[in-house]
Amino acid sequence: MFRIRKNILLFLAILFGCFYFFVFPIYAIDSDESTRSVQLDSSGKILTLTPEQVKRGKRLFNNTCAQCHNGGITKTNPNIGLEPESLSLATPARDNINSLVDYLKSPTSYDGESSIAELHPSIKSAEIFPKMRNLTDEDLIAIAGHILIQPKLGGEKWGGGKIYY
């Protein structure tokens, strides 16, 4: 009897895992235009990402950034995450596609005073961070788009830190 119960629990755990990993991620790809619309620059222009850009951004973010920014947190500094408030309070503000792409090319400290290219993966420091070597501008736009649409999909969990993860 114990063996049957154990097998049933194992089957349910596998079924739930498959459902969680293969069904839930689809909502980001099939999201409506308003969810996929993000601010392009500081003037307020809007860019609507294609479903392909959303999918690509998620894949690239998970491969390139998630080791330190899983769930929108910053493991090296938990006080500064990738949630909209932190991005908008940075100097310069990093709450739009162009400013995030600029940051991914040549990162600066949160106050904008100094370069942190030797510490943070970037195009500028691609010789130190090999995952950045082959990223194109389109890839950087997709990654920035992923960062900016996550608060619309996950709410306050994105960048929420330890209370959620």
Side-chain angles (χ1 to χ4, degrees):
M1 187 63 152
F2 177 72
R3 188 176 206 170
I4 293 173
R5 189 177 298 160
K6 184 178 175 183
N7 288 337
I8 290 172
L9 289 174
L10 180 62
F11 173 76
L12 290 174
I14 291 171
L15 184 65
F16 176 76
C18 289
F19 183 78
Y20 182 78
F21 286 109
F22 295 112
V23 176
F24 283 147
I26 293 174
Y27 71 89
I29 298 166
D30 293 336
S31 57
D32 61 0
E33 280 191 29
S34 66
T35 303
R36 291 184 282 115
S37 296
V38 293
Q39 190 173 337
L40 178 62
D41 56 28
S42 58
S43 72
K45 290 183 184 174
I46 301 296
L47 170 69
T48 302
L49 301 166
T50 65
E52 292 77 24
Q53 285 176 305
V54 173
K55 183 178 180 181
R56 183 180 190 151
K58 179 179 180 174
R59 181 180 51 79
L60 290 169
F61 180 88
N62 287 338
N63 184 43
T64 310
C65 312
Q67 183 174 1
C68 295
H69 294 290
N70 191 23
I73 63 164
T74 301
K75 288 185 180 178
T76 57
N77 185 353
N79 297 319
I80 302 171
L82 298 178
E83 75 278 1
E85 182 181 13
S86 289
L87 294 175
S88 66
L89 294 175
T91 303
R94 298 176 184 138
D95 57 354
N96 61 68
I97 294 285
N98 288 346
S99 64
L100 280 172
V101 168
D102 180 61
Y103 181 83
L104 291 170
K105 288 181 177 181
S106 182
T108 58
S109 57
Y110 194 70
D111 61 8
E113 298 275 325
S114 57
S115 172
I116 59 169
E118 291 185 9
L119 303 173
H120 191 280
S122 65
I123 300 300
K124 185 176 184 179
S125 60
E127 70 280 352
I128 302 171
F129 301 101
K131 289 185 177 185
M132 301 298 288
R133 287 185 186 154
N134 298 321
L135 294 179
T136 64
D137 281 350
E138 288 76 26
D139 293 336
L140 298 178
I141 289 169
I143 291 170
H146 174 76
I147 292 168
L148 294 174
I149 66 169
Q150 287 311 297
K152 296 177 183 181
L153 299 172
E156 61 186 27
K157 286 178 89 173
W158 179 253
K162 289 182 179 181
I163 59 172
Y164 296 109
Y165 296 101

